[in-house]
Amino acid sequence: MASKIFVRPISIAFNAFRNYSSSSKLVDVSINDKTGIATVTMQRPPVNSLNYELLIELNGAFQDLGSKKIKGAILTSSLKTIFSAGLDILEMYKPKPERANAFWTSLQDTWITIFNTPYPTVAAINGHSPAGGCLLSLACEYRVMVNNYTIGLNETKLGIVAPFWFVASMKNTISNRESELALTSGRLYKTDEAFKVGLVDETAENKEDALAKAEKFFSRFDAVNPIARFLTKQELRGKIVKVGRKTFIYKIFRKFQICMMTRI
Ligand SMILES: CCCCC/C=C/C(=O)SCCNC(=O)CCNC(=O)[C@H](O)C(C)(C)COP(=O)(O)OP(=O)(O)OC[C@H]1O[C@@H](n2cnc3c(N)ncnc32)[C@H](O)[C@@H]1OP(=O)(O)O
């Protein structure tokens, strides 16, 4: 069991993970001292919608874990039926330019951090996971999803065009053909449907089952050199990150706003 201290420690230079736990308002991080597995839990009721503050905390949590010798990290939610409802709609409604700029940058940074971690990652999807929620899970290396929820990039249904790296994350996980069908129709998959197309790797009965399956994933790397593993991950994901970095999302958001204004 991980013990809890409710202070967020600054990065620890030596590689100790023993007894590490930190909880801020929106994200809880704990590391099991026996397994070396970290669990990052989003806790922003009612739906874990991704606002600037949650994204900053998430990004910080995954970055901090890079300085510890962990076996892997699980991303999950404290909420009973929601993993994440995606981007906080309020961040998109009449935003002040500085806030909007900071918000979109934090989204892009968080995606890059999670997509590119040196350690293995699993999303234990214990509830609905539309749009930005789905993106967060796609940034992880493996997805285990509890039955009877929904997941997908439903942006087109909302009149939004999913940016390049949303699309690239999907195509990194399922086929180009399935991505095209899913994204153009804004499809939300039920858990079993998502499993059939490979959008999730395993299904689970409940959150505990999902966490247990997530933990098991990490044992695949017991006999694998971690540096070789990370360099291989970079080889596979590096190009997407490079182009993702160049696509400054705030500019796309401005285009989206102009597009919506001209339609009215
Ligand atoms: C360049 C532009 C790129 C943009 C890419 C965009 C990506 C995105 O992520 S856009 C956001 C897309 N999200 C969605 O479409 C999800 C919308 N929400 C839902 O489908 C549902 O709320 C649910 C399945 C997540 C949960 O359903 P349920 O348990 O029935 O809860 P409620 O619908 O009653 O919601 C409770 C409460 O939460 C508010 N809320 C829901 N989603 C969001 C959100 N994304 N942002 C902010 N607030 C959200 C909802 O309005 C309710 O509020 P109250 O009425 O005040 O209780």
Side-chain angles (χ1 to χ4, degrees), residues 46-47 49 81-82 85-90 92 104 128 130-133 154-155 158 160-163 166 249 252-253 256:
V47 291
S49 61
T81 59
I82 316 285
L87 304 191
D88 192 324
I89 302 290
L90 297 178
M92 292 183 252
W104 291 105
H128 296 296
N154 57 327
E155 279 76 4
L158 309 170
I160 305 173
V161 179
F166 280 57
I249 192 172
I252 302 172
F253 176 63
F256 161 69

Side-chain angles (χ1 to χ4, degrees), residues 135-151:
L135 177 79
L136 281 185
S137 76
L138 289 171
C140 297
E141 291 172 30
Y142 198 76
R143 281 149 294 282
V144 184
M145 184 166 174
V146 175
N147 288 318
N148 301 318
Y149 292 116
T150 54
I151 185 168

Side-chain angles (χ1 to χ4, degrees), residues 89-126:
I89 302 290
L90 297 178
E91 293 282 11
M92 292 183 252
Y93 181 69
K94 294 187 181 168
K96 290 201 172 116
E98 309 78 52
R99 170 88 186 184
N101 193 348
F103 168 70
W104 291 105
T105 305
S106 70
L107 172 67
Q108 200 160 359
D109 288 348
T110 306
W111 168 77
I112 290 172
T113 299
I114 304 177
F115 196 70
N116 214 18
T117 56
Y119 49 83
T121 50
V122 180
I125 308 162
N126 57 317

Side-chain angles (χ1 to χ4, degrees), residues 7-253:
V7 185
R8 185 177 175 157
I10 50 168
S11 297
I12 300 170
F14 56 91
N15 286 322
F17 53 71
R18 229 165 270 165
N19 298 329
Y20 176 89
S21 179
S22 92
S23 189
S24 55
K25 213 171 115 221
L26 306 173
V27 172
D28 181 86
V29 183
S30 66
I31 304 178
N32 185 308
D33 57 357
K34 291 199 178 73
T35 62
I37 294 170
T39 305
V40 178
T41 306
M42 294 177 280
Q43 45 187 29
R44 183 172 184 252
V47 291
N48 281 334
S49 61
L50 303 167
N51 69 347
Y52 172 72
E53 286 76 15
L54 175 53
L55 287 167
I56 289 291
E57 285 195 24
L58 267 179
N59 193 11
F62 278 91
Q63 278 183 350
D64 279 358
L65 289 173
S67 68
K68 301 178 190 355
K69 243 191 187 165
I70 56 165
K71 192 169 176 181
I74 299 171
L75 175 62
T76 193
S77 152
S78 67
L79 309 176
K80 276 197 176 142
T81 59
I82 316 285
F83 179 72
S84 165
L87 304 191
D88 192 324
I89 302 290
L90 297 178
E91 293 282 11
M92 292 183 252
Y93 181 69
K94 294 187 181 168
K96 290 201 172 116
E98 309 78 52
R99 170 88 186 184
N101 193 348
F103 168 70
W104 291 105
T105 305
S106 70
L107 172 67
Q108 200 160 359
D109 288 348
T110 306
W111 168 77
I112 290 172
T113 299
I114 304 177
F115 196 70
N116 214 18
T117 56
Y119 49 83
T121 50
V122 180
I125 308 162
N126 57 317
H128 296 296
S129 192
C134 177
L135 177 79
L136 281 185
S137 76
L138 289 171
C140 297
E141 291 172 30
Y142 198 76
R143 281 149 294 282
V144 184
M145 184 166 174
V146 175
N147 288 318
N148 301 318
Y149 292 116
T150 54
I151 185 168
L153 295 179
N154 57 327
E155 279 76 4
T156 46
K157 281 244 173 76
L158 309 170
I160 305 173
V161 179
F164 161 82
W165 37 281
F166 280 57
V167 179
S169 300
M170 190 69 137
K171 279 170 42 180
N172 188 50
T173 308
I174 61 174
S175 71
N176 194 69
R177 175 76 184 133
E178 187 67 31
S179 299
E180 184 174 316
L181 290 172
L183 278 148
T184 52
S185 63
R187 179 169 179 187
L188 284 175
Y189 296 81
K190 294 232 172 79
T191 305
D192 54 341
E193 296 170 337
F195 175 66
K196 270 189 204 141
V197 297
L199 181 54
V200 300
D201 300 287
E202 287 188 67
T203 61
E205 290 300 312
N206 50 43
K207 184 176 179 182
E208 289 65 41
D209 187 28
L211 291 174
K213 285 174 171 161
E215 288 201 10
K216 208 168 164 212
F217 170 73
F218 299 122
S219 58
R220 292 183 189 206
F221 309 114
D222 284 350
V224 176
N225 177 302
I227 297 168
R229 203 200 85 85
F230 178 44
L231 291 177
T232 305
K233 176 173 172 175
Q234 282 191 318
E235 199 62 50
L236 288 158
R237 295 188 168 206
K239 273 194 197 124
I240 301 174
V241 173
K242 213 169 164 187
V243 185
R245 272 189 219 279
K246 282 190 197 148
T247 324
F248 188 43
I249 192 172
Y250 180 49
K251 277 195 189 151
I252 302 172
F253 176 63

